[in-house]
Amino acid sequence: MARLLLIEDDPAIRSTLMRALRERGHAVAGSGAAMEGLQTALAERPDLIVLDLGLPDLDGRELLRMLRAVSGIPVIIATARDEETEMVRLLDAGADDYVVKPFTAAQLDARIRAVLRRGSTPEETDPALVVGGLRIDPAAREVSLDGRPVELTPREFDLLHHLALRAGQVVTKRELLSEVWQVPYGGADKTVDVHLSWLRRKLGETAQEPRYLHTVRGVGVKLSEPS
């Protein structure tokens, strides 16, 4: 049973979704405003937050930014805004998934279960992966480079881990969007580029002078040992 927090200002939608998700075995709390939702999230520490963007006191994007500053709780955006640029911006800001209204409770429940599966990861029992001086420990979710710790966000860790599992192979951006971000569409790969740029910076390299992360133009990216 997952503990969920639904932040949705429409009382009818909130009530309907809370009832439907409870029928599917979840424990669900609800909030109709951003600041109330933030306080509930920090006090209750739910397993996952479903966040509407059109809130009365604060836009959901700002609430997402505030949440990500203090917590790694998974967040699914649930909104009527369906522009691709908005979707990419929110995923870059730390959202774990994005579902566009109208949607059914069954669709939302499937998204919730998928995000929670990624968070509870079978990788916790996986051995550490070593690529040159880079060591990725899935169980502890820790990364070190030449013996020194590297601080990564949860998304950066997932991206690096996915590439490390395929070390020496070229991985397409479409695969990364699908497997790391769980976004089943191609073309909007700016979010991958942004995270790769952040990851390179933390590994002490650049796209022009790569050591571990090598871009194969028009194909994807490859993690490999420095030559």
Side-chain angles (χ1 to χ4, degrees), residues 13-215:
I13 294 176
R14 188 170 67 247
S15 170
T16 299
L17 283 177
M18 288 177 67
R19 182 173 60 252
L21 291 171
R22 283 169 178 161
E23 290 173 352
R24 286 166 170 78
H26 303 297
V28 190
S31 176
M35 296 312 297
E36 178 190 39
L38 178 61
Q39 292 172 356
T40 303
L42 296 178
E44 302 295 332
R45 296 288 176 180
D47 298 316
L48 182 141
I49 296 170
V50 179
L51 173 62
D52 181 35
L53 295 181
L55 300 170
D57 55 337
L58 194 69
D59 189 83
R61 286 177 297 184
E62 182 64 15
L63 177 56
L64 175 64
R65 186 190 67 78
M66 295 169 70
L67 281 166
R68 280 295 164 260
V70 296
S71 172
I73 297 171
V75 176
I76 295 178
I77 301 295
T79 179
R81 303 178 195 176
D82 61 354
E83 301 88 353
E84 185 177 273
T85 53
E86 177 79 344
M87 187 182 302
V88 171
R89 186 158 48 242
L90 287 159
L91 292 169
D92 283 343
D96 293 88
D97 203 351
Y98 192 112
V99 59
V100 178
K101 298 176 181 177
F103 53 82
T104 66
Q107 290 171 335
L108 179 58
D109 181 43
R111 298 290 187 102
I112 289 169
R113 287 185 282 106
V115 170
L116 291 176
R117 279 198 303 271
R118 297 203 301 272
S120 65
T121 63
E123 65 194 23
E124 291 178 355
T125 59
D126 289 347
L129 301 171
V130 178
V131 181
L134 193 60
R135 185 178 189 274
I136 300 101
D137 185 344
R141 292 185 68 83
E142 293 176 349
V143 173
S144 63
L145 177 61
D146 298 329
R148 295 185 299 275
V150 180
E151 297 297 329
L152 301 181
T153 66
R155 185 73 75 190
E156 289 166 353
F157 180 90
D158 291 340
L159 174 58
L160 182 62
H161 180 244
H162 188 85
L163 291 170
L165 288 170
R166 293 156 180 76
Q169 304 175 24
V170 179
V171 182
T172 66
K173 292 178 182 178
R174 183 170 185 174
E175 177 183 337
L176 291 171
L177 280 169
S178 175
E179 297 298 322
V180 178
W181 277 266
Q182 300 291 308
V183 177
Y185 63 87
D189 54 9
K190 178 178 178 295
T191 188
V192 178
D193 292 333
V194 169
H195 282 78
L196 284 172
S197 175
W198 292 339
L199 197 51
R200 283 192 174 100
R201 190 181 312 138
K202 292 183 178 182
L203 296 181
E205 61 182 70
T206 66
Q208 293 72 35
E209 297 183 2
R211 294 184 65 228
Y212 287 92
L213 294 168
H214 300 267
T215 297

